[in-house]
Amino acid sequence: VSKFLDKLTAAAKGQACCLCVGLDPDPGKFPAHLKEKGAGAISEFNRAVIDATKDLAAVYKPNLAFYEAHGETGLRALSETLAHIPSEIVTIGDAKRGDIGNSAKQYARALFDGLGFDAVTVNPYMGTDCVLPFLEYADRGVIVLVLTSNPGSADFQRHHHLFLRVVEMAAEWNKSGNVGIVVGAQHPEELAKIRLLAGDMPILVPGVGAQGGDLAAVIEAGKGKEPGRLLVNVSRGILYASSGVDFADASRKAAEDLVGRMKDGD
Ligand code: OMP
């Protein structure tokens, strides 16, 4: 068992299905008093959401696009955000990297050594050699895209059931017990099949909330045996639960509601 899996198990606090809060800050959606500060307000916004949800979240998942989009200001906000997350909560750097080994090695350095994430998302569709540099960090999580939440997942991933081959490969890559997979909430039937094939590997499920996925169906199909093996990510549904000054309280209420439904599904 990897250090990543140990940390995830502890952070799940006995819950089979647990909450991953997606930290995807979009200054255009901030409440008026922060919106006027633009990207300069990202750190303050995230800190308020973290303070309001940290007893409910097992995982925080910043998507790097929302930080890189603002250049140096955004990258500084990302570091400040990571520094604010309590050390017992798992962090996933959602970067969806995938490149030839020589380049992937540098991506892995940036995300694990530089930013210090516990885990990262990786796009495995370029093949094993592109995933290996991440796997070498045996103490960190490597969460590979299998069947994504977007409509375009039909174009290649579903073609000849290619995604099932990725599940098989993910199981082979899991020698250090540090691999997880991503399956969008839009595919509960496939999720059930993937859970059977993947054993108790952690499955990250985005697509509940703004993208309309059905939480009850996801829990039914995707629950694992050990705590924390099903991670349901919600970003916009939590961050922008209110566009007023009460945004942090509203984010807490949204997170509480989700965690309540996760417990009922146990
Ligand atoms: P919301 O739709 O706002 O809850 O955000 C979903 C988050 O999950 C975003 O950061 C997406 O980039 C990410 N995501 C998907 O939406 N679909 C996927 O198939 C995979 C991911 C991901 O890897 O997290």
Side-chain angles (χ1 to χ4, degrees):
V1 172
S2 66
K3 210 172 133 192
F4 159 69
L5 213 54
D6 278 342
K7 184 169 177 179
L8 181 60
T9 307
K13 296 179 191 154
Q15 286 300 127
C17 173
C18 46
L19 180 65
C20 171
V21 175
L23 294 173
D24 299 353
D26 178 349
K29 295 196 176 100
F30 287 177
H33 71 288
L34 292 177
K35 199 187 277 186
E36 64 192 25
K37 297 190 207 164
I42 290 176
S43 194
E44 186 180 345
F45 178 85
N46 282 354
R47 285 201 308 267
V49 171
I50 292 165
D51 289 343
T53 58
K54 63 188 173 192
D55 59 318
L56 298 166
V59 182
Y60 285 106
K61 180 178 74 70
N63 182 305
L64 267 72
F66 291 82
Y67 302 87
E68 291 171 345
H70 305 287
E72 272 179 43
T73 308
L75 295 179
R76 202 176 323 114
L78 177 57
S79 304
E80 287 168 4
T81 299
L82 288 171
H84 197 72
I85 296 174
S87 60
E88 67 276 13
I89 301 182
V90 171
T91 57
I92 301 177
D94 185 7
K96 298 185 182 64
R97 299 301 189 217
D99 206 334
I100 64 162
N102 188 52
S103 304
K105 199 171 159 185
Q106 301 305 323
Y107 278 134
R109 273 184 68 181
L111 292 159
F112 289 142
D113 297 332
L115 289 163
F117 283 110
D118 294 315
V120 296
T121 57
V122 169
N123 186 338
Y125 281 87
M126 270 178 75
T128 303
D129 50 322
C130 303
V131 180
L132 283 177
F134 294 95
L135 295 173
E136 278 169 15
Y137 288 78
D139 60 333
R140 311 294 175 98
V142 182
I143 306 181
V144 300
L145 301 181
V146 165
L147 184 58
T148 56
S149 64
N150 58 309
S153 63
D155 295 345
F156 306 119
Q157 298 164 20
R158 276 181 182 278
H159 196 62
H160 298 308
H161 300 288
L162 181 57
F163 71 93
L164 291 177
R165 175 68 184 146
V166 182
V167 180
E168 263 174 31
M169 293 300 286
E172 281 181 32
W173 293 332
N174 197 24
K175 294 195 174 66
S176 305
N178 63 334
V179 174
I181 57 188
V182 179
V183 181
Q186 282 59 29
H187 318 285
E189 264 175 50
E190 291 77 6
L191 177 58
K193 200 184 276 183
I194 291 166
R195 173 54 84 197
L196 283 176
L197 288 173
D200 219 24
M201 223 183 265
I203 304 184
L204 170 66
V205 179
V208 169
Q211 298 177 59
D214 176 354
L215 178 59
V218 165
I219 296 173
E220 164 96 29
K223 218 165 46 171
K225 293 192 186 73
E226 296 284 314
R229 298 307 186 261
L230 181 64
L231 310 171
V232 174
N233 178 83
V234 175
S235 305
R236 284 168 290 178
I238 291 177
L239 301 183
Y240 311 114
S242 160
S243 56
V245 285
D246 64 338
F247 72 98
D249 287 344
S251 74
R252 177 174 182 83
K253 286 203 188 81
E256 259 172 353
D257 173 60
L258 286 158
V259 169
R261 285 154 63 200
M262 288 173 189
K263 284 187 178 155
D264 291 344
D266 257 14

